[in-house]
Amino acid sequence: MIAAEFISHLLTPLRTSDSGEEALTIMNVYHVKHLPIVNNEKLLGTISEDDILGHELTEPIGSYGLSLLKGFVNKEDHLFEVMGKMAEYKLTTIPVIDDDDTYLGAITQEELIHFYADSFSFKEPGSILVLEMHKRDYSLAEISRIIESENIAILSTFLTTKPDTEQVFVTLKINSQDAKHAIATLQRYDYTIRASFTEATFVQNLKERYDALMSYLNV
């Protein structure tokens, strides 16, 4: 899962000679709010929709005198690095370069969302459990041992931190649509279960959030 595997060659980069109007048209077609600017295969930076709207749309973007966003990733960077950079610079599109700083293409936020929707066992039948615990008590090996004692497998996990505390939330996707036995066993070992979702409930919630996000990206 490296950046090179997610490059979109359909997304057209901008040149400094392109007008603001042309840039906004491309953004609208691909449902993004950022586009890379490339001259002679070299990345100059990334321009935002807000930057363009603050200038005369008929003028070339090279005349704007912009302080371009510098967020980019190398083709060998891991997917997590890509996501971290997109979050850091608040980008809907991030450029990808090679070791010679040559522009190779871009990765869009929408493509990453589709990838996650199709990966990490989201489509596998099962249930979702959310555990809360202190960071020092977290052991995936121990949690797995307890879950597997009920002949249940963990399909995927996510770890998130509770802001301004030493607490963490551990989200588990398990391969059983009946989570009662897993919950009861975890509680016997003094684990705190903050939430649980059956497959039907979780899929409906996920679909609603996904549809809302897609609607937002299409604005």
Side-chain angles (χ1 to χ4, degrees), residues 18-24 37 46-68:
D18 291 330
S19 69
E21 189 173 30
E22 289 171 324
L24 289 178
I37 301 177
T46 301
I47 191 171
S48 71
E49 180 183 66
D50 290 339
D51 285 334
I52 296 170
L53 293 174
H55 293 80
E56 176 56 54
L57 298 185
T58 58
E59 294 295 321
I61 58 177
S63 68
Y64 287 178
L66 299 173
S67 177
L68 296 173

Side-chain angles (χ1 to χ4, degrees), residues 86-99:
M86 292 186 80
E88 178 183 355
Y89 290 96
K90 298 180 174 61
L91 297 173
T92 56
T93 300
I94 191 163
V96 182
I97 62 173
D98 64 13
D99 294 333

Side-chain angles (χ1 to χ4, degrees), residues 19-198:
S19 69
E21 189 173 30
E22 289 171 324
L24 289 178
T25 298
I26 296 172
M27 288 181 178
N28 183 61
V29 169
Y30 291 101
H31 311 302
V32 298
K33 296 182 181 294
H34 304 86
L35 282 175
I37 301 177
V38 176
N39 275 356
N40 298 320
E41 298 186 336
K42 298 298 181 182
L43 176 68
L44 302 183
T46 301
I47 191 171
S48 71
E49 180 183 66
D50 290 339
D51 285 334
I52 296 170
L53 293 174
H55 293 80
E56 176 56 54
L57 298 185
T58 58
E59 294 295 321
I61 58 177
S63 68
Y64 287 178
L66 299 173
S67 177
L68 296 173
L69 295 169
K70 299 299 183 182
F72 62 89
V73 293
N74 185 275
K75 64 177 183 177
E76 300 295 335
D77 286 345
H78 189 273
L79 176 61
F80 291 169
E81 180 73 12
V82 175
M83 295 176 63
K85 283 289 184 67
M86 292 186 80
E88 178 183 355
Y89 290 96
K90 298 180 174 61
L91 297 173
T92 56
T93 300
I94 191 163
V96 182
I97 62 173
D98 64 13
D99 294 333
D100 296 321
D101 295 331
T102 299
Y103 175 79
L104 300 178
I107 298 172
T108 67
Q109 185 182 70
E110 186 172 359
E111 288 172 330
L112 291 182
I113 292 171
H114 282 300
F115 170 75
Y116 270 92
D118 292 335
S119 306
F120 294 98
S121 303
F122 286 161
K123 292 184 176 181
E124 295 293 325
S127 302
I128 306 296
L129 303 178
V130 182
L131 285 58
E132 182 181 357
M133 66 192 69
H134 196 280
K135 287 181 181 179
R136 65 171 178 267
D137 297 326
Y138 171 67
S139 169
L140 183 57
E142 176 67 12
I143 295 171
S144 297
R145 183 187 65 79
I146 294 171
I147 295 290
E148 289 169 2
S149 71
E150 294 294 333
N151 295 317
I152 297 172
I154 296 177
L155 299 175
S156 62
T157 65
F158 290 94
L159 187 68
T160 52
T161 303
K162 190 174 183 179
D164 302 319
T165 73
E166 291 297 310
Q167 298 295 104
V168 294
F169 294 106
V170 183
T171 302
L172 307 173
K173 173 68 179 290
I174 60 176
N175 69 343
S176 173
Q177 298 189 53
D178 183 357
K180 293 194 297 292
H181 295 295
I183 292 173
T185 303
L186 286 165
Q187 288 175 334
R188 284 202 303 272
Y189 284 87
D190 294 325
Y191 282 95
T192 300
I193 312 297
R194 282 301 176 198
S196 63
F197 304 89
T198 62

Side-chain angles (χ1 to χ4, degrees), residues 200-213:
T201 301
F202 176 72
V203 168
Q204 181 61 32
N205 289 342
L206 183 62
K207 183 179 185 303
E208 290 173 357
R209 294 180 184 182
Y210 177 80
D211 289 343
L213 181 56

